[in-house]
Amino acid sequence: MARIWDKGLPLDQRILRFTAGEDHRLDERLVSYDVRASIAHARMLQAQGLLDDADCESICAELERLSAAHAAGEWSIALEDEDVHGALERRLIDAIGATGGRVHLGRSRNDQVLAALRLYLRDAIEHLSSLAAAVIESLEQLAATQGAIELPGYTHMQPAMPSSVALWARGFAAELEDDRRGLKRVRERADLNPLGSAAGYGAGGLPLDREATRRELEFAATQEPVTAVQLSRGKAEAALIFELDLLIGDVGRLASDLLLFYTAEFAYVSLPDEMTTGSSIMPQKRNPDVFELVRAARATITGALVEALEITAKLISGYHRDLQRLKAPLFRSIDLAEDVLAIMAHALRSVRFRPENIKLGPELRAAERANSLAVEQGIPFREAYRKIAAELNKQRR
Amino acid sequence: MARIWDKGLPLDQRILRFTAGEDHRLDERLVSYDVRASIAHARMLQAQGLLDDADCESICAELERLSAAHAAGEWSIALEDEDVHGALERRLIDAIGATGGRVHLGRSRNDQVLAALRLYLRDAIEHLSSLAAAVIESLEQLAATQGAIELPGYTHMQPAMPSSVALWARGFAAELEDDRRGLKRVRERADLNPLGSAAGYGAGGLPLDREATRRELEFAATQEPVTAVQLSRGKAEAALIFELDLLIGDVGRLASDLLLFYTAEFAYVSLPDEMTTGSSIMPQKRNPDVFELVRAARATITGALVEALEITAKLISGYHRDLQRLKAPLFRSIDLAEDVLAIMAHALRSVRFRPENIKLGPELRAAERANSLAVEQGIPFREAYRKIAAELNKQRR
Amino acid sequence: MARIWDKGLPLDQRILRFTAGEDHRLDERLVSYDVRASIAHARMLQAQGLLDDADCESICAELERLSAAHAAGEWSIALEDEDVHGALERRLIDAIGATGGRVHLGRSRNDQVLAALRLYLRDAIEHLSSLAAAVIESLEQLAATQGAIELPGYTHMQPAMPSSVALWARGFAAELEDDRRGLKRVRERADLNPLGSAAGYGAGGLPLDREATRRELEFAATQEPVTAVQLSRGKAEAALIFELDLLIGDVGRLASDLLLFYTAEFAYVSLPDEMTTGSSIMPQKRNPDVFELVRAARATITGALVEALEITAKLISGYHRDLQRLKAPLFRSIDLAEDVLAIMAHALRSVRFRPENIKLGPELRAAERANSLAVEQGIPFREAYRKIAAELNKQRR
Amino acid sequence: MARIWDKGLPLDQRILRFTAGEDHRLDERLVSYDVRASIAHARMLQAQGLLDDADCESICAELERLSAAHAAGEWSIALEDEDVHGALERRLIDAIGATGGRVHLGRSRNDQVLAALRLYLRDAIEHLSSLAAAVIESLEQLAATQGAIELPGYTHMQPAMPSSVALWARGFAAELEDDRRGLKRVRERADLNPLGSAAGYGAGGLPLDREATRRELEFAATQEPVTAVQLSRGKAEAALIFELDLLIGDVGRLASDLLLFYTAEFAYVSLPDEMTTGSSIMPQKRNPDVFELVRAARATITGALVEALEITAKLISGYHRDLQRLKAPLFRSIDLAEDVLAIMAHALRSVRFRPENIKLGPELRAAERANSLAVEQGIPFREAYRKIAAELNKQRR
């Protein structure tokens, strides 16, 4: 099987396996996006008179067919294909002959992979945002049904002032909305058409119409100049991982709260048996493993963020094969975030607060009393504060 | 000297020194912002009838005076003050007596520090953005004066296709514009009024007007519910550090290019003597240290990003003293980014490309020739590609 | 199929899938180690009179059989097994009946997984060390065959003083030896017997002989007290990832050198065609992708290090399900390091230096000349330095 | 004031300030070590006949004097000195004239800084290790005086099996011993003499005796070949930061335990008033800030680790100015670790467990009962486990 850049020279098998790496597996999710971008490119070539109508139709029809067949599980990318681009080009040429090679005019894998990635990111962001919305929905439901239950509001892990399940749940919901706005901003960052930049220096005199592919693929703008395209590799990827870090960080802190509330000593919440797991040695245990795994998830995403940031660090401008390594941390973060959000939306629905165990001591009202004292007696807050403190100190002794 | 939360109990000196940490030094930059937020709070208390007119005027006047005196270098925060809030409150009370304690009604250091930090971030972002604009300006000037000089466009560090100084400089300029848009998005994230949330659970029945302080401080919205405020600590901070990572990352890659171009073997650029430093042992050396230090700066910012993200990770909701540690990585990143941007805007102005040393071999036109061949002969690109490759292979042997 | 901690209560399928995660795939590599530790535990129980001879033989024989069958590809861990321990216990009981459950006396999955992991780490370290030795061997061979070729020694990427291929190759070889010593130190850290600590608090009054399993499994010492065992989770893992970071960092810098030497402008080395890959658009390209992917590998390991460190951060003492997430970054780092080392040992063998392109200018001798001047004329080095510098400055003008 | 590499050419003031950075402040701690290494170098030059006796004595005497004067606070490094080496060389020449410049024969700042750093690291490691020993001592004292108090042993933050204050404290003590062994291993890594490698390529034909300086400075071995020296920059630094990460990570988890035990709901420990701090708004609060700041410290060290690792990543071999940036994360980590260890050794001494609030439910004995049942009835552990579990389930309903 010939690789797309094959010039008839030998290639060391071990080198091939090492350089292809895990791309053939990672790229499965890019098949439909690469097809879509290829079709946009082909139609542009046709409009510019660089591809005749029959060839264009035959290329586009076969690409559509390959995409559907892939979605139906009829084929997958082989190691020898190297990546999604190789897999599609080879199958296209197998199916319609040398004509398949015409779609590569004015295009490099360097702009091709970015186009597919950005289209994928758009969908991934949409999906992640809707999963975050589902967690918010579960929190709102919790607030609606159990919101009136009083909770101590903590600072320094110490009871501080009165709070409630509603305030608790809606605080997290508000932060998840903040995270959803963050996701939307990443989409803006990635909303640029890379096609036409080819290997990073334009398409060598061909009369390409970059605006046409931009319109077709619904990018907000065309990325200019062409040299910016490869410099931008890794930035939108890292920006998404960063936003997922904040998002899963918020969800992880929600899990921390629940793990504390579920301790035997707090016993503020109960979880149904079907949500807890047992111990292999202690028959009595009902462990909240799901929230522990949620809490730990952020570590994986912070690691992926460092990985993505360091991949591009210090590289001179232009494309480098190093950039291939960006996919793994990106996809790992997206998949993990999806799992975590889905399970949290689900698990939150069976959390039950136990008001019988939740006591709010009178000291939680101390700040309020100092406020009242200051207002009623017209004394400075600091004076009122010291009076209440002195009173409480007396009680402690 | 009494600390503001002092209740007349002993405090271990070592504990005080450890917990105050370096806050008193870090907080110097927050003085004017804390004053501004305190004045907004005081005026709101006055409007709500919680502070009488004379007290409000006296508090605000003294705060303004303290801010001006600090700007003039007349005082600085002492370790015993613990932080900017303690320093101002103490000095306010020293100056106008117990009345100074009235401004703390309905306010905690928890919302106070966030208000000051967000006002500071707004200015810091503005400043960073203008420094990035200065680097862009230097790049544009380079493009304007030397842009026509041809450069090989590299992929894999190998000559790939023809490029130019203009394309090179403007690729970086475009990415720096992308980074400036990123900075602006951080400002949106931090554009929320925390005042009125007090310790994180509201102000215990006081009739505060959060909308009034929002208006006065020009925040886009009031952060709701109050429990979201402390949950959001660290997110805008990390978001700014992240954007600085991308920004200084781009500048670092620019430095990498220049370091490569400045090697004796490339010799594509010259630097004036006053921009290079010498060796302590080798008399001939003219080293481009400035670009090396720029290249290395991103490491510091990526480290600070990890630091900021991990500080809040896994914490239960509510304020924790852990959050104090967020200031150091934040300020460290901002200061470093300012230094790096300022020096790059300056240093770029004396970079001279040396066209006499830059050769573009005919192989850089190979893609263009394959394009032409495909178009002229109406053959698929892959076929044209193989023809040109075969021809080049023959020449190599 | 019953899970090993099943008490007859329902378990939410989505919770099961989420909590099991990718453990069933990751744990494949632990099968033989878990078998070995289980046999050691069984024999100890037998010696202590807690397991009769016949049961012990039947358990050990079946475990050996399962291990061999797994190595032969006859079975693999299913999602429903959750992990290697569940997979083995289930199969053991399926094969020999309820007796299979006797091996779990005095043991928890918490100490069991650590035992298996540490046995695995021992082998993995051995393997990594021998792969690093193979890279050293390739470097030594390079030094032996091409070592006499002169190279400029660079500082600040500028020619500094005379060096040679031998000095260059052996500098890296020395650092790889340093890394191998680092790997050995990790082995010391992990050389502790966790068995007998059960869930982290000992085996509830059973007369276990921890020294017996230590001897059998050849650990250097028994980990005491039992509460230290779970506290130590993640430390040896992180220590190995850290050492791999240094190791792959050194190899990555070797790749950086080669990528620079392979540029058209330096042209200090050639690579055979079978080691380079082509471009999909530029027919002339022979790209050194293998070294780019090696250079980028460290980013993945630094990311994994952050991931591993953050997983245990801030956790209270005792086992948490969070710890399960340690396996992924650990195995990812080991696998990547193995790939990178293997390909480098291989690729280095075909690197050819091109002495015809390597020129050492007379300025490389400037430090040597200053040295001689200082010695011969008996003047201070600083004076000699300034004389040579002045002379060189005159020549530049 | 002339810089030591000054050749009479102008240097841009902004460039100087940027490149010097914060080195002049950071280097204060290296003065005595640089003096010690310089004296070793001078004596070796003397023994080799490269420096006459009188000059050597005058240089060594003045260096000793400068070191003592610096320790006495009589001078500090100025920005114009750039770093410790410049500061000492300038003052040496000011004091004894041009003869002071003779000590630089056969030496570069590149090997000089490494020698000083390694001598410093040796002392820093010693100090950190003794501070860790003090924490262990406090833990042992706690175990000795309160060790008999029963504690629930937790897994998944749920009561699991019986434990005690002794087991709890000694588990941490054992891990801190592990960390001390880790520190010792770093010392081994840094125990190599860099002197004589000069800028990284040896001393240009001078008859230096590297073994003599090794002996004088008590390094275990001389680093060979010379090209390894600069390649090793950053590795011992990162290794120390890594070990501090584990160490402060263990201390941080100790703090997490105490913060949980100090919650009002657990109330397992009390802290004296002088160890807690108050709230600016809530008069009743006694907050355990010291343990929160300890818990958060690891984040700073993990950030510093990433910073140090990324600084050297991808650099070609040889010295680069990038390496200067290694000092900041190294010193920041050491200083923070010292502070945290000192405060913990101190704070632990006043922790009091409150046995009256600690209840161990009978379910903590469930594993023990299953063990007994298995042994007494001779049934498999899994069967005993299920019997006890069924019994406990009945009780729950």
Side-chain angles (χ1 to χ4, degrees), chain B residues 8-26:
Chain B
L9 297 168
L11 184 82
D12 188 310
Q13 280 307 306
R14 299 175 62 181
I15 298 287
L16 170 64
R17 189 165 308 118
F18 179 76
T19 54
E22 45 179 4
D23 253 26
H24 57 292
R25 276 184 293 108
L26 292 174

Side-chain angles (χ1 to χ4, degrees), chain A residues 155-156 279 285 292 385, chain D residues 155-156 279 285 292 314 385:
Chain A
T155 65
H156 305 267
S279 151
K285 294 296 292 291
E292 295 177 284
Y385 173 97
Chain D
T155 66
H156 305 267
S279 152
K285 295 295 292 291
E292 295 177 284
K314 299 183 197 173
Y385 173 98

Side-chain angles (χ1 to χ4, degrees), chain C residues 221-239:
Chain C
T222 288
Q223 194 164 15
E224 296 279 12
V226 286
T227 42
V229 176
Q230 293 305 317
L231 274 175
S232 74
R233 249 328 260 290
K235 287 172 72 180
E237 291 93 326

Side-chain angles (χ1 to χ4, degrees), chain A residues 22 25-26 39 45 60 64 66 82 92 190-192 197 216 251 275 280 286 291 300 314 357 361 381:
Chain A
E22 45 179 4
R25 275 183 293 109
L26 292 175
I39 289 174
L45 290 178
C60 294
E64 295 275 21
L66 282 169
E82 287 193 70
L92 184 61
D191 209 5
L192 295 169
S197 66
E216 176 75 18
V251 171
M275 273 197 38
S280 64
R286 305 291 325 157
F291 295 122
T300 299
K314 300 183 197 172
N357 293 341
F381 176 77

Side-chain angles (χ1 to χ4, degrees), chain D residues 33-353:
Chain D
Y33 301 102
D34 198 43
V35 162
R36 202 177 146 204
S38 289
I39 290 174
H41 181 70
R43 295 213 186 286
M44 181 275 291
L45 291 178
Q46 174 192 25
Q48 297 299 104
L50 296 165
L51 183 63
D52 71 33
D53 294 2
D55 286 353
C56 183
E57 287 323 305
S58 127
I59 285 168
C60 293
E62 179 59 22
L63 283 172
E64 296 276 18
R65 209 198 54 75
L66 283 168
S67 184
H70 182 267
E74 292 166 22
W75 63 274
S76 59
I77 308 174
L79 171 65
E80 292 72 31
D81 291 324
E82 287 192 69
D83 54 25
V84 61
H85 318 300
L88 283 168
E89 183 162 342
R90 181 169 67 83
R91 280 173 181 76
L92 184 61
I93 293 176
D94 283 356
I96 64 169
T99 295
R102 292 185 187 271
V103 70
H104 213 61
L105 184 69
R107 197 175 65 160
S108 156
R109 275 192 294 192
N110 295 359
D111 59 342
Q112 198 178 347
V113 64
L114 255 176
L117 263 174
R118 286 178 185 172
L119 294 175
Y120 162 70
L121 281 183
R122 200 191 280 175
D123 278 6
I125 287 168
E126 194 72 25
H127 188 223
L128 287 158
S129 185
S130 69
L131 286 167
V135 180
I136 292 169
E137 170 58 29
S138 291
L139 286 165
E140 288 296 346
Q141 214 175 316
L142 226 159
T145 55
Q146 308 179 56
I149 298 172
E150 279 198 313
L151 272 182
Y154 294 88
T155 66
H156 305 267
M157 297 180 74
Q158 297 290 309
M161 292 177 77
S163 183
S164 67
V165 170
L167 270 176
W168 174 82
R170 289 191 174 125
F172 280 104
E175 285 312 301
L176 293 179
E177 283 297 356
D178 174 62
D179 299 326
R180 293 182 74 215
R181 284 189 294 273
L183 288 174
K184 213 173 143 191
R185 287 183 201 111
V186 177
R187 190 194 147 133
E188 290 168 28
R189 185 159 231 150
D191 210 5
L192 294 170
N193 184 25
L195 289 182
S197 66
Y201 304 96
L206 289 179
L208 302 186
D209 179 358
R210 300 189 67 196
E211 184 59 18
T213 47
R214 182 202 71 69
R215 229 175 12 243
E216 176 75 18
L217 298 172
E218 297 176 316
F219 285 115
T222 287
Q223 194 164 15
E224 295 279 13
V226 287
T227 42
V229 175
Q230 293 305 318
L231 274 175
S232 74
R233 256 317 268 289
K235 287 173 73 180
E237 290 93 326
L240 178 53
I241 302 174
F242 173 75
E243 291 296 337
L244 294 180
D245 198 293
L246 294 191
L247 170 57
I248 298 306
D250 283 334
V251 171
R253 294 184 65 181
L254 178 53
S256 285
D257 274 8
L258 289 169
L259 287 165
L260 184 67
F261 292 167
Y262 185 71
T263 58
E265 291 76 7
F266 275 72
Y268 283 6
V269 297
S270 69
L271 301 173
D273 281 347
E274 63 268 24
M275 273 196 41
T276 59
T277 47
S279 152
S280 64
I281 180 169
M282 293 164 291
Q284 85 278 14
K285 295 295 292 291
R286 303 291 326 156
N287 293 322
D289 299 40
V290 59
F291 295 123
E292 295 177 284
L293 287 165
V294 167
R295 175 176 62 185
R298 185 189 203 168
T300 299
I301 297 181
T302 304
L305 179 58
V306 169
E307 185 176 354
L309 288 171
E310 194 174 318
I311 285 169
T312 59
K314 299 183 197 173
L315 293 181
I316 65 157
S317 56
Y319 175 83
H320 306 271
R321 190 69 179 261
D322 310 58
L323 302 176
Q324 170 181 321
R325 291 209 185 275
L326 283 165
K327 286 179 204 167
L330 176 67
F331 295 171
R332 193 191 311 135
S333 301
I334 290 172
D335 293 351
L336 177 59
E338 288 181 352
D339 275 3
V340 166
L341 293 170
I343 207 71
M344 277 305 264
H346 175 66
L348 281 171
R349 285 196 280 271
S350 49
V351 169
R352 293 289 167 273
F353 279 83

Side-chain angles (χ1 to χ4, degrees), chain A residues 167 170-171 173-175, chain B residues 192-193 210 221-229:
Chain A
L167 270 175
R170 287 187 176 129
E175 285 311 300
Chain B
L192 294 170
N193 184 27
R210 301 189 67 195
T222 288
Q223 194 165 15
E224 295 278 14
V226 286
T227 42
V229 175

